[in-house]
Amino acid sequence: MKEINVQMITLEQVNIIETVPQKESDSNFTDADYRHLAARKHEGDENGNTWCKFASLQIPLESEALGLTDVVIGDSRTVSVKESEPNVQCEHGEIIVARKHHGDENGTTEYTIAQVYARINTTKILIPCVAINPEEKTCKESDGSYMEIAGKCMVGRRHNGDENKNTTYIFAHIAVPYVSVMR
């Protein structure tokens, strides 16, 4: 009789970089190396500054023996919302990789959301990753504190109103569901 074993291998967050501040009313946070959005902070109103942190995901070293070689950021889509009413939530296994905003709280914010995959043995075989252990963190939008949870990716954001209202960020670990068959 064979035994099926399923384990979740949590990807590690590495190479964290902080962006230079940008005026919120004309901000465009993207990363040429296609890292994901790991944190965000904003000070003041739409004329204030916003900073972001981007990070890469990697397979934990101890999991490479299982044949998992690297992380691939795959298909992406853009979600546009009015800044004063956004409710952006990634699907299971997706992360936010970019954020662009124009105007005040009545302006448009665009989020680029992408699926995460793990590659097996440098082949074309990709395993879709999943989000696990979601956690929320809330702050006053304009308070100037980084909203982040160590090791977790930004997978959603809720905000209602102007910069004096609260914003809730949703973070989660991204993991590879790995199945093995034991004899």
Side-chain angles (χ1 to χ4, degrees):
M1 178 176 248
K2 294 181 181 180
E3 181 182 323
I4 297 175
N5 182 25
V6 179
Q7 58 182 322
M8 294 301 238
I9 300 167
T10 303
L11 301 179
E12 297 174 339
Q13 216 176 53
V14 296
N15 303 324
I16 299 169
I17 61 162
E18 182 177 30
T19 65
V20 296
Q22 294 182 26
K23 183 177 174 182
E24 174 64 11
S25 62
D26 193 27
S27 59
N28 186 0
F29 292 99
T30 57
D31 183 74
D33 293 326
Y34 218 50
R35 294 176 178 98
H36 69 278
L37 204 56
R40 178 181 177 267
K41 75 174 177 177
H42 173 70
E43 293 177 346
D45 64 7
E46 61 272 3
N47 295 307
N49 284 326
T50 299
W51 294 257
C52 289
K53 289 182 184 178
F54 285 92
S56 298
L57 291 169
Q58 75 176 19
I59 303 293
L61 188 58
E62 64 273 9
S63 298
E64 289 180 2
L66 299 173
L68 300 171
T69 55
D70 64 327
V71 175
V72 176
I73 304 298
D75 303 330
S76 67
R77 60 188 172 95
T78 301
V79 176
S80 295
V81 293
K82 182 178 174 182
E83 178 59 18
S84 62
E85 302 171 354
N87 187 1
V88 176
Q89 182 67 49
C90 295
E91 299 293 324
H92 214 52
E94 292 179 326
I95 55 176
I96 298 174
V97 295
R99 181 183 183 273
K100 182 169 142 179
H101 176 71
H102 184 72
D104 63 6
E105 61 271 5
N106 294 307
T108 300
T109 304
E110 291 181 358
Y111 293 90
T112 303
I113 296 170
Q115 177 66 48
V116 181
Y117 299 93
R119 186 186 322 267
I120 299 176
N121 293 327
T122 66
T123 65
K124 292 183 180 181
I125 299 171
L126 300 176
I127 301 172
C129 293
V130 296
I132 60 171
N133 306 321
E135 219 175 318
E136 294 185 355
K137 197 165 183 182
T138 300
C139 72
K140 180 179 171 185
E141 174 67 12
S142 60
D143 83 352
S145 298
Y146 262 117
M147 296 304 294
E148 62 187 319
I149 297 176
K152 292 192 174 190
C153 303
M154 191 179 296
V155 296
R157 181 175 181 261
R158 290 191 307 269
H159 177 73
N160 193 355
D162 66 9
E163 65 276 353
N164 296 306
K165 302 293 184 189
N166 283 341
T167 300
T168 299
Y169 292 86
I170 301 102
F171 298 91
H173 285 296
I174 302 300
V176 183
Y178 188 83
V179 179
S180 58
V181 179
M182 310 296 274
R183 291 182 186 203

